[in-house]
Amino acid sequence: MNAVKPLKSVDDLVQAGLVLPGDRAMLDEVAARYAIALTPAVTRLIDRADPDDPIARQFVPDAAELAVAPEERADPIGDHVHSPVEGIVHRYPDRVLLKAVHICPVYCRFCFRREMVGPQGLGTLDAAAMQKAFDYIAGHQEIWEVILTGGDPLVLSVRRLRDIMEALAAIAHVKIVRFHTRVPVVDPEKIDAALIAALKASGKTVYVALHANHPRELTNEARAACARLVDAGIAMISQSVLLKGVNDDPDVLAELMKAFVEIRVKPYYLHHPDLAPGTGHFRLSIDEGQRIVAALRGRISGLCQPAYILDIPGGHGKAVISESVIRATGDGCYSVSDHRGGEHSYPPAS
C-alpha cells in the first residue's frame, strides 16, 4: 500500500490493514486515552507480513496499553515538579525545557509524556503563555541552553519557529538552542530550506536531537533530511529508547548507532523506558539493559557509544546506569544516585 495520508484513528488503521477489525473495540478504548498518528513515511515502513514488525510495534496501538502497573505514573520523570511557569521545565540550573507545543506528527506507544500530548493533551502555548516563558528565561541569567520539546517542536509552522528563535536571539545569556524531534525520520520532506533557516538565530548554536529507535527508520529520505540540516551548519545528536521487541538486541543497536555516525548524527542518549502508564510491555529490566549495552562496547567504535540513561522517577534528573550510580537491592529493585548525591528507589514505591 502506498500511504498518502496520515492515519489518525482505529478506523484508519483497519482500512490500512494494520489492525484486525475484530480488535477494533479494544483499540477504541486505547484510542480514547492515548493519541494515534502515523505519517505516510512511517506507514510505508511497516512490514505487514511480520507480526512482530519493530516499526509497527512503536506506532500501532496495542491492547497491552490498557494494563497499567502500580509503579507507573502520568508524569513519570517529574516535569510538573520543576515547572515554574506554563511551558517551562527548569530541572537543572543551566538549561530549561521549553514545551511550546504538545502535538506530534506521530505518537509513540511508549511515550513518557503520553498523558500530555495529542489532541486531548495540553495543546500549544498561546501568545501570552509564550511571552511568560520567554520572560522567565530572560530573567534567569544562569540559563545557557533552551531545549524545545513537547510534543515535537518541528510540527510548528516556519513562522512560529522563526518567532521563537527571534525571541531567544534577544536573550544574550542563552547560547545553545536544541530541538528534540522525530520529523526528519517521520516526515523528512518537511525539512526544507525555509524550516532550516527558521531554526537559526544570531549568536545561538543550534542542535537537533533526532529520535530514532531502529535502523530501518533511517531511510534514504531521512538520511537526506539529516544531511540538509548538517550541511546548513546545524549539529545533530541522537536519542533512542531501549525497547523490548524493537531494539533489545546488540546487533540491532550496533547497526542503529553506526548508521547515526555515518549520517553525521552523534549518538547521545539511549534511554531506559520510563514508567509511563500502559508501557510495561516495552520495558526490559535494568539488568537486561546493562547486558545489552555492555555487549556494544566490544563491537562498535567509541564514536558510536551512547550513554545509557535512566530518568529517575519523581523529577530527580538523569543517571547514567553504571555501577557508580545504581546498585541492585534485590527482587528486581535498585538504589539510584542522582546528580546531587541523593538516593532513590527504582521502581519507586507505588
Side-chain angles (χ1 to χ4, degrees), residues 50-249:
D50 181 1
D52 300 315
D53 179 68
I55 309 301
R57 185 166 170 81
Q58 293 183 68
F59 301 107
V60 176
D62 189 309
E65 296 174 52
L66 298 174
V68 178
E71 67 272 16
E72 294 175 343
R73 48 190 65 189
D75 182 19
I77 71 169
D79 278 355
H80 295 324
V81 176
H82 297 285
S83 185
V85 299
E86 185 182 4
I88 292 287
V89 178
H90 196 175
R91 183 177 285 109
Y92 298 100
D94 72 336
R95 55 204 182 274
V96 295
L97 304 183
L98 173 55
K99 298 195 289 185
V101 62
H102 288 85
I103 303 297
C104 299
V106 294
Y107 292 104
C108 304
R109 309 322 302 170
F110 50 87
C111 177
F112 69 99
R113 292 197 179 112
R114 62 198 328 237
E115 299 276 2
M116 309 173 202
V117 299
Q120 78 279 35
L122 300 181
T124 301
L125 293 189
D126 61 24
M130 283 295 293
Q131 189 56 54
K132 287 181 181 178
F134 291 135
D135 289 345
Y136 180 87
I137 294 167
H140 287 75
Q141 294 282 327
E142 72 274 21
I143 296 174
W144 173 79
E145 180 180 22
V146 174
I147 302 167
L148 281 110
T149 181
D152 192 318
L154 296 195
V155 303
L156 293 170
S157 68
V158 166
R159 179 188 62 80
R160 292 290 303 274
L161 290 168
R162 188 185 303 117
D163 289 347
I164 289 170
M165 292 305 291
E166 287 176 356
L168 293 176
I171 304 174
H173 56 266
V174 172
K175 303 298 184 184
I176 309 295
V177 182
R178 192 194 325 171
F179 292 85
H180 280 227
T181 184
R182 264 194 177 276
V183 167
V185 164
V186 303
D187 192 9
E189 293 180 0
K190 187 174 173 65
I191 307 299
D192 59 14
L195 183 144
I196 291 169
L199 300 184
K200 296 185 174 184
S202 177
K204 311 304 176 194
T205 299
V206 178
Y207 282 78
V208 166
L210 176 68
H211 183 168
N213 298 315
H214 193 276
R216 273 177 40 213
E217 296 176 57
L218 299 178
T219 61
N220 289 337
E221 293 80 6
R223 290 167 183 254
C226 293
R228 292 193 289 273
L229 288 161
V230 177
D231 288 345
I234 294 176
M236 293 190 70
I237 58 177
S238 78
Q239 63 171 6
S240 304
V241 184
L242 183 59
L243 299 167
K244 185 182 294 185
V246 175
N247 57 17
D248 55 333
D249 178 309

